[in-house]
Amino acid sequence: TFTAPGSITQNNTITATNSVALTSTGAGVNLGANVQATDPGGSVSVSAFNGITSASASYLIADNVSLTSTNADVSLTTPLSATNSITLDGKTGVSTTGLLSTAALTVSGGTGGISITDTTATTLRANAKGNISINDSASSGVVNLKASASTTGTLSVTLNGATSLNVAEAISGT
């Protein structure tokens, strides 16, 4: 675990067996090399005061990946892959245009909205005050929507391969 009140700049590979956590409480996290957890079920998490972009996400290697911006948005334009789960949490919103390849996707858009252009997740969790739009390209079977609340916007889940959507928990919104 690395925590700093200012910027974290990492230029050499960080490898751990179970988990790696990088946290900047007052600025950003700039990755210049791989950050990886090698054990099955291992996790890598990055939390930054500033926004999180694709430049950082492409270096994350683990079965579980978590990206959090405590004061801005998470905006990814490149693919991100994690076998078990991807968690994206942006205070002012989350948007992705690259493929999010994972079994479970959890997204919180805070005061903004959520726009996920493509994921293969078969379990989805989403929460935001703004609009929520998720396109899921899971190849077959059922996509489970575990929870989704949109207090001021609309909810849209589009399936591009799965045969059905199972709403497993209550959905609330306006």
Side-chain angles (χ1 to χ4, degrees), residues 22-133:
L22 303 174
T23 303
S24 171
T25 58
V29 176
N30 303 300
L31 303 178
N34 289 345
V35 178
Q36 57 191 5
T38 58
D39 275 359
S43 66
V44 170
S45 65
V46 174
S47 178
F49 181 79
N50 294 344
I52 294 179
T53 64
S54 295
S56 297
S58 63
Y59 291 113
L60 306 175
I61 303 167
D63 285 352
N64 302 288
V65 172
S66 174
L67 301 174
T68 301
S69 173
T70 60
N71 195 54
D73 64 342
V74 173
S75 178
L76 306 179
T77 58
T78 58
L80 178 61
S81 180
T83 302
N84 296 340
S85 69
I86 295 174
T87 301
L88 305 175
D89 184 354
K91 181 177 181 180
T92 59
V94 173
S95 66
T96 67
T97 57
L99 174 65
L100 302 179
S101 180
T102 189
L105 177 63
T106 301
V107 188
S108 176
T111 60
I114 294 170
S115 175
I116 306 297
T117 300
D118 193 9
T119 183
T120 59
T122 55
T123 299
L124 299 172
R125 294 181 186 272
N127 187 6
K129 291 195 178 197
N131 295 333
I132 297 173
S133 174

